[in-house]
Amino acid sequence: MGQQEKVSTSLAGAVSEGISASLAAVDAELDRRYPGDPGTRQPVHTVYVPGNAFDADTIRSWGDQALAALDEHAPDAASFAAVLGLSDDLAEDVYGRVRAKLEREPVEDLRVDFEDGYAGQDEDQDAARAARLISEAYAKGTAAPYMGIRMKCMEAAVRDRGIRTTDVFLTGLLENGGLPDGLVLTLPKVTYPEQVSAFVRLLESFEQAHGLDAGRLGFEIQIETSQAILAADGTATVARMIGAAEGRATGLHYGTFDYSACLGVSAAYQASDHPAADHAKAIMQVAAAGTGVRVSDGSTNVLPVGSTAHVHEAWRLHYGLTRRALSRAYYQGWDMHPGHIPTRYAAVFAFYREGFETAARRLSAYANHAGGDVMDEPATAKALSSYLLRGLQCGALDTAEVDALTGMTRADVERFAAPRRGDLTATAQ
């Protein structure tokens, strides 16, 4: 090393101390409002099943129906790849992984629906039965990683019914073994932040009644009205909703058809790639960034049923919409029919398989200060590791191959994916 330079300063230490003191409230606010991603697994989809139709074999039935659809309409890798336009080098791998996923874990997230999709006659009984069946599924190891209900909204006409169904369901879970770790609640048709606050009060009351830890119950907010995006005063309502949830919001879910209809979009053009949908989801994404709240895309209502020609057309549509969403960082969406999940997993697996080697080598080069043809920053390293971790979580990637190409353990990848606040800035200095 050469001769060290003389270092001089002009400001007294009190200047730095004074600035820090003046920003103490901002520092606390940043930590409170923007804690960063929780680092937990995000499911690639949410499946909605009406409360009156949900049964003990629902998850396995969805997997079996999806496999049957493949057997009938794409019985091998070549035919499936031809429908979706998969490259030759991906066809066998993706097809094999899709079939294995449908056999092992066909559904990652399931919501028993007591809102738009519900057509039962006795909601109390159906909610209690859903609680019992979900508890039994977790006890037997047959549950999806995430399960829960969508209750009716907080609007006056159905508010009492929504509150009662939530109470019946949660009470039933406690009576049948306790609240599972994968429990998820979805609050639909939220228009005002005050409705979010009201649901928070409901969950607080339930926790207090049963001696549960404060904040144990979280929920997703479903964005289905224009007012949820833009309030009458011009502010972004969805950002205020996240604040009103007081740390309990886990997700923002886009409701394709209710939102489109709210804006007057004709039925034939209501889709998740409509400009109105892109605008809404972009606002949701910006509002949620850094808060730990995940954004989910909506669904398509074009079902892959009937003739092989129609199934293939519906598969191509669903595959294209899913790939489009993934490229825009919407890593979750809704699936409305068992025939959708083969193309859900095909799109997800192809997305991660295509970019796997490049992402792994870039992360390895960054971690080892090895340079390369791309100059990555700490924030990009976080994005690269998050990409690999999502691929591992859903089954698109295997731990051994990620370890081999990155030279890292999965724990190392997880640390890059979810750094503590300040780590990225400190690393960049």
Side-chain angles (χ1 to χ4, degrees), residues 69-82:
L70 284 178
D71 290 340
E72 180 177 358
H73 303 292
D76 52 44
S79 58
F80 197 49

Side-chain angles (χ1 to χ4, degrees), residues 14 39 41 44 81 115 152 164 222 325:
R41 174 182 179 179
V44 303
E115 203 228 359
K152 290 177 174 61
R164 182 173 176 84
Q222 203 163 354

Side-chain angles (χ1 to χ4, degrees), residues 115-130:
E115 203 228 359
D116 284 349
Y118 181 67
Q121 301 301 312
D122 192 333
E123 192 162 332
D124 278 357
Q125 285 297 308
D126 288 337
R129 183 169 58 90

Side-chain angles (χ1 to χ4, degrees), residues 254 259 263 269 271-281 324:
Y254 176 67
Y259 187 87
L263 268 64
Y269 299 97
S272 60
D273 60 351
H274 190 280
D278 286 340
H279 172 262
K281 286 180 288 187
R324 183 181 190 273

Side-chain angles (χ1 to χ4, degrees), residues 74-163:
D76 52 44
S79 58
F80 197 49
V83 174
L84 304 181
L86 293 172
S87 61
D88 291 342
D89 61 329
L90 282 178
E92 291 286 349
D93 190 9
V94 168
Y95 189 74
R97 287 177 185 271
V98 168
R99 292 196 70 98
K101 180 76 168 181
L102 296 176
E103 292 166 355
R104 181 185 74 254
E105 188 183 69
V107 174
E108 291 198 0
D109 183 28
L110 185 145
R111 208 70 70 249
V112 183
D113 190 16
F114 290 96
E115 203 228 359
D116 284 349
Y118 181 67
Q121 301 301 312
D122 192 333
E123 192 162 332
D124 278 357
Q125 285 297 308
D126 288 337
R129 183 169 58 90
R132 175 177 57 80
L133 292 175
I134 288 174
S135 295
E136 291 174 355
Y138 276 106
K140 294 176 181 177
T142 58
Y146 298 94
M147 299 185 76
I149 65 168
R150 176 170 71 168
M151 68 291 297
K152 290 177 174 61
C153 68
M154 287 287 106
E155 293 180 358
V158 294
R159 183 183 304 138
D160 289 345
R161 181 64 262 180
I163 291 171

